[in-house]
Amino acid sequence: METSRRTVIAAAAAGLTAATIGTAHAAGGKKPVRELFGRLADGTKVHRWSLENGGTRLKVLSYGGIVQSLEIPDRHGRYKNVSLGFDNIEDYVAKTPYFGALIGRYGNRIAKGQFTLDGTGHQLSVNDGVNSLHGGAKGFDKRVWDVEGFASGSDVGLVLHYTSIDGEMGYPGTLRAKVTYTLTRHGDWRIDYEATTDKATVVNLTSHVYWNLAGEGSGSIYDHELEIAASRYTPVDSGLIPTGELAKVAGTPFDFRRTKTVGRDIRVAHQQLLYGKGIDHNWVLDKGITAKPEHVATLRDPSSGRTLTIASNEPGLQFYSGNFLDGTLVGTGGHIYRQGDALCLETQHFPDSPNHPSFPSTVLRPGQTYRTSTVHSFGV
C-alpha cells in the first residue's frame, strides 16, 4: 500500500521509519519554548523560540522574526533543515542577506526611495544603490520584535508585534504590525500579517526564507522542480525596478506554468536574466488578489522527495534564485553558501507599486487594517 504524505510526516514526528509507519498520526503540538540566542551590541537580548507540530520543526528569532531553521522529513522520514541561516546573532546583524526574515515596511524595491502619496513626496532610506530595498537600511528584519508563544487546539505558534514610528526609514505614519506564525496539526506553516496606521502610508510585508529542500548547505537548487501559477511577470530595468509592463511568460525563461527544473533556462541569454544575474523577478499571479489563500506555487526536490506548496491571497510572487550568494557566508551546518544554493518565493504586492498606479495598491489608511496570509504546506 502506498504511504501518504501526511502519514510519512506524522510518522517522522513520532520517530518512526517509513517502513513501520502504517497508520501513524501526529500528536498535537506543545507550547513553543523560548531560550536566549544572543545579545545585540547594546545588550538587548535576542531569544529563539522552538516549536513543533505535525512533523514540522521551526525555530524563530525575536530579531527580525527570523526563521533560523525549518526542519521537515524526506520520503524516508529523515529530517533536515531546509532553510538557510546562521548559528549566531553576530552574523545575522553584520552579514545576512535577509535569511529567513520578516520584511517591512515594504518588501522589495522602491525606485530611488521615493514616492508621492496624497500630493506629498516622501524620501525613504536608500540601501540598494539609489533604491530602497526591503524597508531601508534598518527595516523590520533588523528590529527586535515582541514575541508570545501559544498553543490553541491542535495548533501552536507565535504572535509577533512591532510598532514602527512615524518617519522611521522615511515612511509616514505610526504602523502597528502583528504577524502570527502558526504550525498546524498537519505541519503547515501559516503566516498571517496585520497592520494599522495613524496616517496614510504604504505597506507590503513578506517573508524572506531561502529554501533548499535537499537540506541547507547541500548545494545547488537548480535541479529542484518548480511550478508557478502565473502567465505574466513584471520585467525590470538594470536597477531591478519594474518597467510597468505586465509581460507574458510564454516563450521566455520565466514560464513556469508547467513544472520544470529551476536551472533549465537560467543561463539562457535573456536580457532580464542578465539584469538579475539570474532570476530576481515578480510573477503576476493568475488568481489575483483573493479573499483566502489560494495555490500559487509548488517546489519539489527529486532527491529527497520533499515538496513545498504555497498558497496566498497576495497578487504577486517574487522568485529569487540566490544569485548574490557569493561563497563568503558560512551557514548553520558549517557549509559555505554559493550562488544558486537556495531560492526565495516571497508572496507580495508588486515591487515599486507606489510609483505605478496601474499596479495593485499598497496604500493603507487610518481606519483600515492590512491583512494578508500565506500558507506553506510540506509533503513527500
Side-chain angles (χ1 to χ4, degrees):
M1 180 178 70
E2 183 179 354
T3 302
S4 73
R5 294 179 179 182
R6 294 299 187 198
T7 305
V8 170
I9 293 175
L16 305 174
T17 65
T20 62
I21 54 182
T23 58
H25 295 281
K30 298 179 180 179
K31 190 171 181 178
V33 176
R34 188 183 78 163
E35 62 183 325
L36 183 65
F37 184 71
R39 295 176 186 267
L40 302 182
D42 64 1
T44 301
K45 293 180 180 179
V46 174
H47 292 100
R48 178 170 65 182
W49 292 78
S50 299
L51 53 160
E52 181 175 356
N53 203 11
T56 299
R57 302 168 179 168
L58 183 64
K59 292 184 178 181
V60 176
L61 306 183
S62 57
Y63 179 81
I66 287 170
V67 172
Q68 194 232 354
S69 71
L70 193 153
E71 298 181 11
I72 53 175
D74 66 6
R75 61 169 62 92
H76 302 294
R78 297 174 297 202
Y79 275 89
K80 280 192 177 180
N81 173 22
V82 297
S83 66
L84 271 56
F86 298 118
D87 62 4
N88 63 87
I89 190 59
E90 291 79 15
D91 281 349
Y92 279 111
V93 172
K95 303 177 181 180
T96 183
Y98 305 100
F99 284 155
L102 279 177
I103 302 298
R105 286 189 194 190
Y106 199 97
N108 222 300
R109 294 172 174 85
I110 294 180
K112 299 180 181 179
Q114 299 175 347
F115 68 93
T116 298
L117 179 58
D118 296 337
T120 300
H122 298 277
Q123 177 61 61
L124 308 176
S125 166
V126 171
N127 62 327
D128 182 53
V130 300
N131 302 316
S132 184
L133 174 65
H134 294 331
K138 194 173 181 181
F140 288 5
D141 61 295
K142 299 176 179 67
R143 308 289 179 171
V144 176
W145 292 63
D146 294 325
V147 185
E148 297 176 358
F150 70 86
S152 176
S154 59
D155 296 338
V156 299
L158 304 172
V159 180
L160 302 94
H161 291 272
Y162 176 70
T163 298
S164 175
I165 63 173
D166 184 19
E168 186 175 276
M169 297 295 103
Y171 287 90
T174 293
L175 189 83
R176 300 183 185 279
K178 173 186 174 183
V179 179
T180 304
Y181 290 166
T182 303
L183 284 186
T184 73
R185 65 186 179 90
H186 297 300
D188 296 343
W189 173 41
R190 179 182 177 115
I191 311 176
D192 293 292
Y193 305 90
E194 295 182 26
T196 59
T197 184
D198 61 359
K199 292 181 183 178
T201 191
V202 295
V203 60
N204 186 28
L205 306 182
T206 190
S207 173
H208 209 296
V209 173
Y210 283 68
W211 301 102
N212 185 324
L213 297 184
E216 170 271 340
S218 64
S220 171
I221 46 78
Y222 290 163
D223 62 347
H224 279 36
E225 299 165 349
L226 178 64
E227 172 262 331
I228 302 175
S231 302
R232 296 175 294 168
Y233 76 107
T234 52
V236 296
D237 62 19
S238 60
L240 301 182
I241 298 294
T243 63
E245 180 186 6
L246 305 183
K248 293 181 178 179
V249 300
T252 77
F254 300 93
D255 192 350
F256 284 87
R257 291 174 297 172
R258 293 186 178 181
T259 301
K260 68 176 181 180
T261 60
V262 171
R264 194 187 82 176
D265 298 323
I266 205 165
R267 300 195 185 280
V268 170
H270 190 285
Q271 184 61 62
Q272 288 295 307
L273 295 179
L274 293 171
Y275 283 153
K277 296 181 172 58
I279 297 172
D280 192 3
H281 294 75
N282 169 68
W283 267 252
V284 179
L285 298 170
D286 289 341
K287 68 174 190 61
I289 298 173
T290 49
K292 296 181 179 180
E294 295 185 9
H295 171 77
V296 300
T298 299
L299 182 69
R300 180 177 182 271
D301 168 45
S303 65
S304 67
R306 294 185 184 94
T307 63
L308 163 64
T309 302
I310 299 176
S312 180
N313 54 10
E314 289 277 36
L317 180 75
Q318 185 80 10
F319 169 24
Y320 168 59
S321 58
N323 316 321
F324 298 102
L325 298 173
D326 59 3
T328 60
L329 304 177
V330 179
T332 49
H335 300 285
I336 293 172
Y337 295 150
R338 299 188 182 278
Q339 185 180 50
D341 279 0
L343 60 83
C344 301
L345 297 168
E346 305 156 62
T347 55
Q348 61 175 19
H349 270 56
F350 304 167
D352 201 33
S353 289
N355 295 310
H356 292 276
S358 63
F359 287 0
S361 176
T362 54
V363 175
L364 180 69
R365 298 186 181 279
Q368 298 176 334
T369 300
Y370 170 96
R371 288 190 178 94
T372 181
S373 301
T374 295
V375 181
H376 306 81
S377 300
F378 306 102
V380 287

